Amino acid sequence: MVLKNNYKFSKIYSSPQKRALKTAEVLSKVTNVEHIAMEDLKEINFGKWEGMSWKEVEEKYPAEYKEWHINRRYTKPPKGESYQEMLERVLSVLHKVINENCDDVAIVTHSAVIMCIQCYLTKTPFHKMLNFKTENTSITEIDSNLLMQCNR
């Protein structure tokens, strides 16, 4: 899709997590563009909920799940991070990338990261984040000027 649509970018940044990293490495190889893994582009940390289905989470952590489900933007799973904390982490690194680059760049990251950024930019409540659900290896274009203009 990237080659077919003639996307041009000067660098590739990615999460260091396996799927994003592998995708970025393949993209780097076929485009001959430098790839840099950045820790702060990682997926949200769900703590004790990692690897569990939502049904399992609801059964094992009913009170915590209920609170999180009502206010997922600011509520943390046990030993995890809230969507707001993830958003702040990601926005910080995106601002750094924008300030260090004049040309377009590719960012390879995760669905929750993309959904949170879309909610943030469009002022959509986080309980509606699935409106922005992406498929694996899909392309979402985001204007860096819009990211820099938004206030946290």
Side-chain angles (χ1 to χ4, degrees):
M1 181 118 150
V2 170
L3 296 177
K4 184 175 135 184
N5 290 322
N6 205 26
Y7 283 99
K8 301 281 187 221
F9 42 86
S10 60
K11 284 187 186 158
I12 301 165
Y13 296 90
S14 82
S15 159
Q17 291 173 302
K18 190 176 182 178
R19 284 190 306 174
L21 185 62
K22 182 67 176 167
T23 301
E25 288 169 349
V26 169
L27 185 58
S28 178
K29 186 175 182 178
V30 300
T31 60
N32 199 31
V33 172
E34 177 186 12
H35 164 250
I36 302 164
M38 299 184 86
E39 192 70 21
D40 287 338
L41 291 173
K42 286 170 69 169
E43 181 64 286
I44 190 167
N45 174 1
F46 277 119
K48 289 185 175 184
W49 296 357
E50 288 288 340
M52 298 172 72
S53 70
W54 289 119
K55 185 178 179 185
E56 290 172 316
V57 169
E58 193 171 8
E59 289 170 359
K60 292 182 180 178
Y61 300 93
E64 294 92 337
Y65 176 78
K66 183 178 180 182
E67 183 181 343
W68 176 86
H69 191 71
I70 292 168
N71 187 11
R72 69 186 70 188
R73 181 170 183 171
Y74 297 101
T75 303
K76 297 183 201 184
K79 307 272 187 203
E81 68 182 333
S82 68
Y83 280 114
Q84 181 64 32
E85 289 170 327
M86 182 201 64
L87 179 64
E88 290 173 9
R89 165 173 54 82
V90 170
L91 286 174
S92 177
V93 76
L94 290 178
H95 287 151
K96 180 180 180 203
V97 166
I98 291 165
N99 286 327
E100 291 176 359
N101 292 277
C102 296
D103 299 323
D104 289 343
V105 300
I107 309 252
V108 183
T109 191
H110 306 277
S111 181
V113 172
I114 295 165
M115 290 187 297
C116 282
I117 291 169
Q118 296 283 64
C119 285
Y120 170 74
L121 290 175
T122 62
K123 298 179 179 10
T124 300
F126 276 45
H127 69 274
K128 294 184 178 182
M129 69 172 41
L130 289 178
N131 292 349
F132 301 108
K133 181 78 175 136
T134 61
E135 299 297 322
N136 288 342
T137 69
S138 66
I139 297 172
T140 303
E141 292 185 56
I142 297 176
D143 184 343
S144 62
N145 291 322
L146 187 58
L147 267 175
M148 296 303 278
Q149 290 171 1
C150 284
N151 294 327
R152 285 190 230 181

